[in-house]
Amino acid sequence: MRWFFYNLFFAIAYFALLPHFLLRMKKRGGYRAHFAERFGKYTPDIARRLAEKPRVWIHAVSVGEANLAGQIIRELRNRNPGFSCILSTTSSTGRAVCEKIAGPDDVLVYLPVDFPVCVRRMLSIANISAMVITETELWPNLLRSAHARKIPLLLANGRVSDHSAPGYRRLRFFFGPVLHCFDTILVQSELDRSRLLAAGGPDDRIHVSGSVKFDITPPSAAKTAAAIETLSIAGITPGTDCILLGGSTWPGEELALANAWRTLSPKFPNVRLVLVPRHFERGNELAAELSNHGFSVIRRSKPNAPIAPVGTPSSPILLVDTTGELFALYSQADIVFVGKTLDPNAGGQNMIEPASFAKPVLCGPHTENFLPVMEIFRKADAIREIASADELLPALTDLLEHPEKRIALGQRAGQTVAASRGALARTADAIAALVQP
């Protein structure tokens, strides 16, 4: 009976939100391509490839999970060069990242919507040796159908946020049976394990493996060179200029960084500001907002059309409104602010990436999506947290006036990442155990 009501409410919610999805499709401009895949319908070529041989199906919701899936795939290929997978995602931005990750023998598709008919259609076509879900995205029909077909299931890098934990606990009668579909559940911390147990998860199958995100692989020399070329668009030279980079920023954070930078510029004229918003489609509105506040802006997507209002500082802000460049850009930064951490935003973005380059990292108070990671950084005094946007200027001033503090903070960050590695190997071991004959 519970699944009848789930399917009923899911259908109502889906069609109620459909106008929002269609609007986002139009805005982002990538959702329309391969749209039928969301309903388990594939071109003859994709259908043939899905069925041709057993593959591990790895699902990544969006950009962050796609990067994590890329780490897992690279590790599995290092162990077995012939490894190939089905790689699915939910968002168009996630698919753009997956296109760069997928090898020629992999099959890239959108995850089918969690209607029984769509899920069954996908599972009846694909030849799946095991299914790996990254983070914690629990689609009941998908997981129950895969379990019924005896497809081994693994949850990788699982986590439960402060926001989600009470709901999981209250609805354990619903989530418990879904969690019991998994053969193995790997979570980031003891806190995540206790929260899944409270949600009705199986005690003997939930294991703490740490965060795979610590096992990050440095960007290639080509991507590093491309990052330097991107900076050159705005006349920024690593090593000569002091690069302040706002990574995966959300509304309000870009303007806060820009205002702090403008105040700092007279005293620190070599500081240059680079903004990389989490959603590249905000490029138009963000460029207009900065321009309206008197800033000169050069957009990565339109380098030959700088926006330079009268009376702006001589140095423009570089707005990187593209995807796939942030990680390599972190390697060239001198100070990094990690976005989605200042009011009114919440949750936080990945602070491990800049820390892996031994960069001094600043963030706001809202890092709920990275609780275990933040505890590790806090214990090592390897990250600097500010309570609000008002503290951004004093924190930046302190790091610029005291280079030794900046260097020491970055060194502690790099050492913390290095000491926290190992989850990737444990995840690959668990996947290998599932697919062994």
Side-chain angles (χ1 to χ4, degrees):
M1 183 62 71
R2 77 190 76 178
W3 309 120
F4 169 80
F5 283 112
Y6 164 74
N7 288 324
L8 176 62
F9 290 135
F10 180 78
I12 293 171
Y14 182 84
F15 287 107
L17 292 172
L18 188 58
H20 168 73
F21 294 149
L22 295 175
L23 181 63
R24 188 166 61 174
M25 183 192 308
K26 181 179 179 181
K27 186 176 181 181
R28 289 191 175 181
Y31 274 71
R32 186 176 303 172
H34 313 285
F35 191 71
E37 293 179 357
R38 298 177 185 276
F39 300 95
K41 296 183 177 181
Y42 307 95
T43 64
D45 179 61
I46 294 296
R48 176 188 59 78
R49 297 189 63 219
L50 285 170
E52 66 185 354
K53 64 179 180 180
R55 287 184 171 92
V56 175
W57 179 1
I58 300 177
H59 175 61
V61 183
S62 191
V63 174
E65 295 82 7
N67 286 325
L68 186 146
Q71 291 176 255
I72 295 173
I73 292 169
R74 282 188 290 271
E75 177 66 16
L76 293 170
R77 284 212 176 99
N78 287 337
R79 299 179 177 207
N80 175 14
F83 173 82
S84 64
C85 66
I86 299 167
L87 183 57
S88 67
T89 185
T90 303
S91 70
S92 58
T93 50
R95 188 178 180 108
V97 174
C98 287
E99 286 174 348
K100 299 174 183 177
I101 293 169
D105 196 36
D106 297 329
V107 186
L108 176 59
V109 295
Y110 277 117
L111 183 77
V113 178
D114 203 43
F115 291 122
V117 63
C118 300
V119 168
R120 286 197 295 267
R121 189 181 291 134
M122 164 65 171
L123 294 178
S124 66
I125 294 172
N127 190 343
I128 304 166
S129 58
M131 184 185 297
V132 178
I133 306 294
T134 59
E135 303 285 347
T136 309
E137 189 180 6
L138 305 178
W139 292 112
N141 287 324
L142 174 65
L143 296 174
R144 291 176 61 248
S145 296
H147 179 66
R149 292 170 183 258
K150 301 188 184 307
I151 296 172
L153 293 169
L154 181 141
L155 180 66
N157 213 54
R159 65 177 178 86
V160 182
S161 68
D162 287 348
H163 177 73
S164 301
Y168 279 120
R169 187 172 60 252
R170 284 194 303 269
L171 298 175
R172 61 177 292 137
F173 72 92
F174 177 82
F175 287 107
V178 176
L179 290 168
H180 274 263
C181 291
F182 285 98
D183 296 85
T184 303
I185 297 175
L186 301 181
V187 295
Q188 298 180 30
S189 70
E190 287 290 349
L191 177 62
D192 295 307
R193 184 176 190 275
S194 66
R195 286 174 168 175
L196 286 182
L197 289 175
D203 179 75
D204 60 330
R205 284 175 260 166
I206 305 177
H207 311 283
V208 178
S209 63
S211 176
V212 172
K213 292 182 179 180
F214 279 113
D215 293 278
I216 197 162
T217 302
S220 65
K223 288 188 176 180
T224 300
I228 295 172
E229 179 65 25
T230 292
L231 294 170
S232 71
I233 292 171
I236 300 173
T237 305
T240 300
D241 296 305
C242 181
I243 301 172
L244 169 59
L245 193 153
S248 289
T249 52
W250 284 61
E253 294 174 331
E254 298 94 359
L255 190 57
L257 283 164
N259 285 330
W261 169 71
R262 177 155 53 190
T263 302
L264 290 166
S265 291
K267 187 174 182 180
F268 304 100
N270 70 321
V271 175
R272 298 295 305 274
L273 179 59
V274 179
L275 298 174
V276 188
R278 174 64 179 80
H279 297 110
F280 73 91
E281 66 271 16
R282 291 181 55 231
N284 288 336
E285 65 181 73
L286 185 50
E289 178 186 41
L290 292 169
S291 179
N292 289 339
H293 282 82
F295 294 99
S296 174
V297 180
I298 291 180
R299 295 176 62 176
R300 173 69 177 88
S301 64
K302 301 177 181 179
N304 297 320
I307 302 172
V310 176
T312 58
S314 57
S315 298
I317 295 171
L318 175 60
L319 175 58
V320 184
D321 53 346
T322 53
T323 60
E325 296 192 70
L326 177 58
F327 185 36
L329 284 169
Y330 277 143
S331 70
Q332 304 304 308
D334 294 282
I335 301 174
V336 172
F337 171 82
V338 174
K340 205 184 180 185
T341 59
L342 289 175
D343 289 326
N345 309 297
Q349 299 290 170
N350 189 349
M351 63 288 298
I352 298 174
E353 290 186 348
S356 70
F357 295 111
K359 304 299 180 181
V361 179
L362 291 171
C363 67
H366 300 297
T367 53
E368 296 85 355
N369 291 343
F370 291 85
L371 288 178
V373 171
M374 285 298 293
E375 282 305 306
I376 292 171
F377 278 116
R378 288 179 185 127
K379 287 179 181 178
D381 190 22
I383 196 165
R384 185 157 179 175
E385 297 176 86
I386 58 175
S388 69
D390 293 337
E391 295 186 10
L392 190 56
L393 178 60
L396 291 172
T397 301
D398 183 45
L399 292 176
L400 289 169
E401 288 181 341
H402 302 95
E404 71 283 359
K405 286 187 180 181
R406 190 168 75 233
I407 293 169
L409 179 60
Q411 288 175 340
R412 291 194 297 272
Q415 291 163 0
T416 299
V417 173
S420 303
R421 297 179 184 273
L424 180 59
R426 290 186 281 273
T427 301
D429 288 343
I431 294 172
L434 287 184
V435 297
Q436 284 178 353

